[in-house]
Amino acid sequence: MTGFDESERLIWAGRADAYAGGFAKLCAYTVPRLLDVAGVGPGTRMLDVGTGPGTAAAAGCDRGASVTAVDAEPSMVELARKAAPAADVRLAVLLELPFIDGTFDVVVGNFVLNHVGRPRAVLAELLRVARPGGRIALTI
């Protein structure tokens, strides 16, 4: 974990409700297009990384996808579980995703790479959990 990552964890610790009440509403505008570009639809195995309050996870569930979502902040995981009750929402860090290689058809991340200290390493991890020929779609 880099110093940047440690700083991000401190900044966001316990702040999910404040984020959901403000900035999350702005970030939500990109979710429909993000899922369109990723080709999320019925039966898609989708991973939402850095799910925050679960906006993309809930939208994926609404499209009929089988959704797994992860976030490193426990308060965000709790919000995401409420927003997307059909999703498998877990506490996890991006550099150590608890999934075997090639698990997902699609990996999406809405404004998450700007919150990590080693974005190239995170991209490698996202590629690892995406199936061969799968898609990764990110906003930043």
Side-chain angles (χ1 to χ4, degrees), residues 9 28 58 65:
R9 297 269 166 64

Side-chain angles (χ1 to χ4, degrees), residues 18-82:
Y19 174 76
F23 200 63
K25 294 174 184 177
L26 177 63
C27 293
Y29 286 108
T30 58
V31 169
R33 183 72 177 131
L34 176 68
L35 299 186
D36 287 347
V37 168
V40 174
T44 303
R45 293 172 299 150
M46 178 185 125
L47 174 63
D48 177 19
V49 296
T51 193
T55 307
C61 289
D62 289 346
R63 290 177 179 220
S66 172
V67 178
T68 302
V70 299
D71 203 285
E73 169 50 40
S75 63
M76 294 291 191
V77 169
E78 289 307 312
L79 282 183
R81 285 180 176 152
K82 291 175 186 170

